[in-house]
Amino acid sequence: MPDPSRSTMRWMWRVHKLFWNLSGGRLGKQIGDMRVLELVTTGHKTGEERSVLLYHLESPDGALVAGSNLGSDSDPAWVKNLRAEPRAIVRSEGHETEVQARFLEGDERKGAFRRFKDVYEDYQRYEDATNRQIPVVLLQPIDSH
């Protein structure tokens, strides 16, 4: 089966977000083996709130997300937003959590990205399609005490 085009994927993401929003996050929280969260960042150019649904993996320290952008040679907007302002909000399972983004490096990043490829094989295709290193970000909950 051929890979879906970027425009097809954008359409699918919009439909997914529509169902997510209409159901309060109850529909679309898992696709296949991948769980989904909503990441709310501050736009690096506009300063306005931006929201995106992302596949994620759990880790002992928070949620891991990968900025694959379907193998594009540029980072997705949410990665640029987190580089400019690492504080964000994660909405998942009916909860909202303030988080601090930490971009993984070296072996820690390699191990985390390997986990993404083990769960969803398209991440290998995304890695092969780009010259950039796909960022892996740990979204660590900020202690509210």
Side-chain angles (χ1 to χ4, degrees):
M1 180 175 174
D3 294 333
S5 68
R6 287 188 77 73
S7 61
T8 299
M9 290 301 295
R10 283 192 179 118
W11 179 83
M12 290 170 51
W13 289 331
R14 285 186 184 117
V15 170
H16 182 196
K17 192 159 187 185
L18 175 67
F19 281 107
W20 177 279
N21 289 339
L22 289 174
S23 71
R26 288 184 306 278
L27 295 176
K29 62 184 176 184
Q30 184 149 344
I31 299 175
D33 292 332
M34 297 294 292
R35 295 178 56 202
V36 176
L37 60 74
E38 181 178 13
L39 177 64
V40 182
T41 61
T42 301
H44 69 283
K45 290 182 182 177
T46 65
E48 295 178 10
E49 186 177 279
R50 300 290 183 217
S51 170
V52 63
L53 300 179
L54 299 171
Y55 290 141
H56 76 284
L57 298 173
E58 293 297 323
S59 85
D61 298 320
L64 293 166
V65 290
S68 67
N69 206 11
L70 297 176
S72 170
D73 282 331
S74 63
D75 285 335
W78 64 265
V79 166
K80 295 173 187 176
N81 294 346
L82 288 177
R83 287 192 195 285
E85 173 51 67
R87 290 177 82 102
I89 301 289
V90 166
R91 294 181 185 137
S92 178
E93 304 289 331
H95 302 300
E96 187 171 288
T97 306
E98 189 174 0
V99 296
Q100 178 79 23
R102 182 168 69 84
F103 287 79
L104 303 185
E105 302 288 335
D107 288 342
E108 186 180 28
R109 183 218 158 266
K110 284 180 191 175
F113 195 65
R114 166 59 45 207
R115 286 185 58 205
F116 276 94
K117 292 188 287 189
D118 288 346
V119 173
Y120 187 61
E121 63 188 27
D122 281 356
Y123 280 100
Q124 181 64 58
R125 187 171 48 85
Y126 302 152
E127 185 177 48
D128 293 344
T130 186
N131 292 319
R132 71 184 170 92
Q133 183 178 76
I134 293 172
V136 178
V137 182
L138 175 62
L139 302 172
Q140 295 177 290
I142 296 173
D143 189 6
S144 60
H145 296 10

